Amino acid sequence: MKANIVLLPGDGIGPEVVAEAVQVLDAVAAQFGHEFTYTERLMGGCSIDRHGVALTGEVLADCQAADAVLLGAVGGPKWDDPATKVRPEQGLLGLRKGLGVYANLRPVRVHPDLVNASPLKPEKLGGVDILVIRELTGGLYFGQPKGRSIVDGRERGVDTLEYWDYEIQRVLDLAFRLAASRRKKVTSVDKANVLESSRLWRKIAASTAAAHPEIALDHMLVDTASMRLISSPAAFDVLVTENMFGDILTDEASVLAGSMGLLPSASLGDSGPGLYEPIHGSAPDIAGRGLANPLGTILSAALLLRHSLNLPREAAAIEAAVNDALSAGARSADLGGRSSTTAMTAAVLAHLGAAESV
Ligand code: NAD
């Protein structure tokens, strides 16, 4: 198969980890007889420096025309001034909207040898295998009206939490579809005791479940879900929720795995290219020092192969190689070890069968 992948390395450690993931993609291409071509573009702070905006129309058009987009991370202290109107995150939001990717998938698994890297007790972590699905283009982050104003001498800030039925339906459909090939359990997280948009969410979740009798549906309030994620994480299979709840719960869930540097994500829509990125940020504190853990980005490349290129065998090969590299002792600094960024990749390549030795 031939595929064109747009690379948006971004800022901080983004370029370092994306370069590692490309090596793994190239190794998979060689091993399985595929041809991947890459188009590298600026997005985030680096684009602000060059073009004055975080995402140009040309870069968005390149992304829309690609088979998939692999992103590193954006942002950093240089662009953090709260008074500025142009911010690196605007590129992320523009990209999500422009690609129509409405569902963010974050698989969270705990490698048995890394249970001690997590702040949770090891006995809580056995069997943790969660797919968190966050609605990505609706809710509080996009609703109008939004803004700040002075009213009668007092300053007021407003955000609007709005959901349409179709926005809820499509992300729940995806959750049920993906649950069918897993442990067949969906936990739909809302705040239906307080929020009208959550009551609509819950109604649609119930009607979706009625059409999928083979899948078990639980409704759970977001406050309960935040507690259960750390008290009994192995009980979750697919967890699906709206944008802001998902933003918070996905970071909480990431703690289970031991390091943010390990976790991948995929953002998907109905058609067009998916957007793949590690869940961590640009980590300016370690940028340029060869310390970044590339596994989250390498695993994001595996999700790219599975969801955008329909190459499940190749995706599984990368996931197995990452697993084996960790079992063999590859440990970057965030995992309490001394392996450099390139050594972590070399370990993965060795287990893919594409390198001589670790
Ligand atoms: P961060 O995720 O960049 O870093 C948090 C901590 O985790 C840091 O100590 C960092 O060194 C460590 N870390 C992160 N990724 C790592 C990796 N792959 N290997 C080893 N250690 C890793 O979060 P932050 O410090 O809050 O944010 C830094 C910048 O990143 C900010 O400008 C923020 O806005 C931006 N950010 C971007 C994204 C994105 O691009 N999607 C997401 C979150 C934060």
Side-chain angles (χ1 to χ4, degrees), residues 270-291:
D270 283 328
S271 58
L275 174 64
Y276 300 85
E277 57 184 309
I279 71 151
H280 59 74
S282 60
D285 52 333
I286 57 165
R289 295 168 54 196
L291 293 175

Side-chain angles (χ1 to χ4, degrees), residues 13 73-76 89 92 260-261 277 280-286 292-293 334:
I13 61 168
V74 299
E89 299 76 24
L92 289 176
M260 293 215 297
E277 57 184 309
H280 59 74
S282 60
D285 52 333
I286 57 165
N293 182 348
D334 56 312

Side-chain angles (χ1 to χ4, degrees), residues 304-326:
L304 181 158
L305 296 178
R306 178 174 293 117
H307 294 289
S308 280
L309 305 188
N310 196 23
L311 298 174
R313 212 160 50 100
E314 290 79 344
I318 294 181
E319 287 161 352
V322 166
N323 221 34
D324 292 346
L326 289 170

